[in-house]
């Protein structure tokens, strides 16, 4: 994958940026720098093209996820992140996967479906994939999840389902609801910043 790396303080949990459909490795840099000032940033560009728009995995014409492709691309994402973590002298398990929309969806899938997946996630407007949930324990994982009550893409029911899937497996989940739609809002960014600061203060402890 094409990527962008911005060095930061090694004492802070690094941020992995995963853009939404049509974005690239530059799309969320300002968001990361607001949420986690001075943190190392690794930003990836999805290598799936949907009518010229970058994505991290395929979906069908009706908007449903191609679960076979999602599974394969999730493994590729983790492998690439681990490779780049080694290259830039970062610890994979310290990464906070910060994703929006399509990027948040693949991050959520990694949290739920991969035993060696991310430990921490900031998921802006994510939805459940609809695949069969795995059973391994994820009580060591912490997630900040945001959802819009008027989101035309991710329904309230979908956001609630994802929240319950994470919590039922033991993850610590903090959810923020807004009255907005699918766009990012300042309260979400401020909430993510507060959550990240607490994570940093806890020194990655659960």
């Amino acid at each position: 994958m094409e990527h962008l790396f911005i060095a930061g303080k090694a004492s802070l949990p690094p941020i992995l940026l995963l853009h939404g459909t049509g974005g690239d490795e530059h799309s969320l840099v300002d968001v990361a720098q607001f949420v986690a000032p001075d943190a190392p940033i690794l930003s990836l560009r999805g290598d799936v093209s949907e009518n010229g728009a970058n994505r991290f995995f395929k979906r069908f014409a009706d908007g449903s996820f191609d679960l076979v492709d999602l599974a394969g691309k999730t493994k590729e994402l983790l492998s690439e992140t681990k490779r780049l973590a080694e290259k830039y002298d970062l610890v994979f398990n310290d990464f906070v996967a910060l994703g929006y929309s399509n990027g948040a969806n693949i991050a959520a899938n990694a949290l739920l479906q991969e035993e060696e997946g991310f430990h921490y996630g900031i998921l802006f407007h994510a939805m459940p994939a609809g695949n069969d949930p795995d059973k391994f324990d994820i009580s060591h994982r912490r997630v900040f999840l945001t959802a819009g009550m008027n989101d035309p893409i991710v329904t309230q029911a979908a956001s609630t389902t994802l929240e319950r899937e994470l919590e039922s497996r033991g993850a610590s989940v903090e959810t923020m609801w807004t009255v907005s739609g699918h766009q990012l809002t300042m309260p979400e960014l401020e909430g993510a910043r507060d959550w990240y600061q607490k994570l940093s203060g806890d020194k990655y402890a659960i």
Side-chain angles (χ1 to χ4, degrees):
M1 294 181 187
E2 295 290 332
H3 74 277
L4 171 70
F5 176 67
I6 301 174
K9 293 181 179 179
S11 59
L12 294 173
I15 299 291
L16 175 70
L17 287 181
L18 303 170
H19 61 76
T21 299
D24 62 24
E25 65 274 25
H26 301 281
S27 299
L28 296 175
V29 171
D30 288 347
V31 169
Q33 291 176 333
F34 179 87
V35 169
D38 300 321
I41 297 171
L42 174 62
S43 186
L44 301 181
R45 182 195 303 176
D47 60 0
V48 171
S49 177
E50 182 180 88
N51 300 318
N54 298 320
R55 283 179 56 84
F56 286 99
F57 61 92
K58 296 177 183 177
R59 60 182 171 182
F60 298 114
D62 65 357
S64 61
F65 297 169
D66 182 332
L67 295 181
V68 173
D69 190 67
L70 174 59
K73 287 298 184 181
T74 300
K75 293 184 184 298
E76 288 180 20
L77 171 65
L78 293 172
S79 176
E80 181 72 351
T81 304
K82 289 173 182 177
R83 183 185 73 82
L84 291 171
E86 184 174 349
K87 176 180 179 179
Y88 294 116
D89 197 27
L90 300 169
V91 178
F92 172 80
N93 286 344
D94 289 348
F95 266 103
V96 178
L98 187 160
Y100 167 64
S101 195
N102 177 242
N105 293 337
I106 196 169
N109 196 62
L111 286 159
L112 285 164
Q113 298 292 122
E114 296 293 332
E115 199 157 6
E116 299 303 319
F118 303 120
H119 287 205
Y120 311 112
I122 295 175
L123 308 180
F124 293 123
H125 300 269
M127 66 175 67
N131 44 19
D132 293 330
D134 214 317
K135 294 181 173 60
F136 59 88
D137 179 70
I138 59 171
S139 58
H140 58 296
R141 298 184 175 174
R142 293 171 66 167
V143 178
F144 180 77
L145 176 68
T146 74
M149 289 186 286
N150 295 300
D151 192 329
I153 297 174
V154 184
T155 65
Q156 292 186 47
S159 297
T160 300
T161 296
L162 178 59
E163 178 186 45
R164 288 173 178 169
E165 285 184 7
L166 288 160
E167 289 180 336
S168 68
R169 299 270 300 285
S172 172
V173 182
E174 181 178 330
T175 303
M176 170 179 280
W177 287 90
T178 72
V179 297
S180 300
H182 198 63
Q183 72 274 21
L184 283 174
T185 65
M186 183 54 68
E188 290 174 86
L189 300 184
E190 291 172 342
R193 180 190 60 194
D194 294 345
W195 181 90
Y196 176 85
Q197 288 176 349
K198 185 175 188 305
L199 177 70
S200 302
D202 291 345
K203 297 181 180 179
Y204 321 126
I206 299 301

